Amino acid sequence: MEHKKNFNERTFETDYGFMTIQGPLSADQLSEYTFHEDLNAFRPPAKQFEALKSIAEFEEGRIIVATHEQMIVGYVTYLHPDPMERWSEGNMDNLIELGAIEVVPEFRGFRVGSRILELSMLDPFMENYIIISTEYYWHWDLKGTKLSIWDYRRVMEKMMGAGGLTPSPTDDPEIISHPANCLMVRIGENVPRSSIEQFDELRFLTRNQYRKVKGE
């Protein structure tokens, strides 16, 4: 599968002036910007910036960013699932994961996360993918936002909905370990039935493996 990437860009106004949502960007394009020090939810900012550049160089990797005055203040990543996760079993070339989305706290309230996801889906090639996002409550900024787990879950669902992702059932052990966790999914219009069926097998891999054992 040839992973085609089509650039899109949008500008909007905030209390801090104009912001731009753009991407997918290459590693060289990302290097033209500085990376906000408060983008530290996953690892120290400098290391996270290097991680984004690495993802941008993957054949399927996509980095969409929100910028303000030549500084990255938000981003989303798309890439194939981690080899250690069940979602990588089957080596589905048309399955990609929304691996991370992060927005600087002071820029929240302007729908930055939703705008990033909306722009992500402007690329018509995204209709060739099954896109997943695994939401775990322990990754959420409950302390910074002062939201309850369930209020944060509703915020996440609304934001992901801006990109067309909706909750989907699964028996993945990590997801079902807490009722607030969830699997979000978007199936593109061009995804063949065979891929959807293969993905359904992955969603209920534990149940299917148990059935096979019983059948033996």
Side-chain angles (χ1 to χ4, degrees):
M1 179 180 185
E2 181 183 357
H3 299 274
K4 298 179 180 179
K5 305 175 189 180
N6 300 290
F7 178 84
N8 284 286
E9 180 179 15
R10 281 180 174 176
T11 300
F12 63 99
E13 193 168 6
T14 72
D15 293 348
Y16 299 97
F18 285 99
M19 290 183 63
T20 300
I21 309 292
Q22 57 181 314
L25 297 185
S26 67
D28 288 342
Q29 290 170 322
L30 288 170
S31 296
E32 296 175 4
Y33 296 90
T34 55
F35 198 70
H36 199 288
E37 62 182 9
D38 289 335
L39 293 172
N40 55 13
F42 300 97
R43 53 175 66 88
K47 291 188 175 181
Q48 184 64 1
F49 196 23
E50 290 306 309
L52 297 192
K53 294 175 186 176
S54 295
I55 293 170
E57 294 302 291
F58 293 166
E59 187 179 357
E60 85 288 355
R62 292 169 178 261
I63 304 295
I64 315 295
V65 300
T67 58
H68 176 255
E69 297 180 350
Q70 289 301 113
M71 178 173 287
I72 295 172
V73 297
Y75 65 85
V76 65
T77 71
Y78 297 94
L79 69 164
H80 284 322
D82 189 294
M84 299 299 291
E85 297 179 344
R86 73 158 59 184
W87 313 108
S88 66
E89 295 191 29
N91 297 314
M92 296 181 63
D93 208 22
N94 59 350
L95 174 61
I96 58 173
E97 182 172 10
L98 192 165
I101 183 167
E102 188 178 8
V103 176
V104 171
E106 68 181 284
F107 286 95
R108 295 172 185 169
F110 303 109
R111 295 188 65 249
V112 177
S114 296
R115 293 175 191 271
I116 291 173
L117 293 179
E118 288 170 353
L119 185 120
S120 300
M121 303 308 167
L122 291 181
D123 183 348
F125 198 78
M126 294 296 265
E127 298 300 333
N128 296 295
Y129 292 118
I130 297 174
I131 302 168
I132 65 169
S133 177
T134 51
E135 297 300 327
Y136 306 118
Y137 82 90
W138 50 82
H139 288 165
W140 299 343
D141 185 15
L142 300 175
K143 183 178 180 180
T145 60
K146 296 181 172 59
L147 294 175
S148 70
I149 285 178
W150 293 107
D151 286 340
Y152 204 108
R153 161 76 183 258
R154 282 188 282 271
V155 169
M156 290 299 299
E157 281 195 28
K158 185 176 181 181
M159 182 177 65
M160 292 294 174
L165 285 86
T166 57
S168 182
T170 180
D171 64 6
D172 178 76
E174 279 198 284
I175 291 177
I176 64 176
S177 67
H178 191 281
N181 296 343
C182 64
L183 172 68
M184 306 291 289
V185 178
R186 181 186 189 275
I187 298 178
E189 294 180 356
N190 301 329
V191 175
R193 170 56 56 182
S194 59
S195 292
I196 297 174
E197 292 174 352
Q198 187 177 5
F199 175 63
D200 287 342
E201 287 281 326
L202 292 177
R203 285 197 302 122
F204 295 101
L205 188 61
T206 303
R207 183 185 67 186
N208 294 327
Q209 288 176 338
Y210 177 72
R211 285 178 174 174
K212 289 178 181 179
V213 170
K214 286 192 68 176
E216 292 175 357

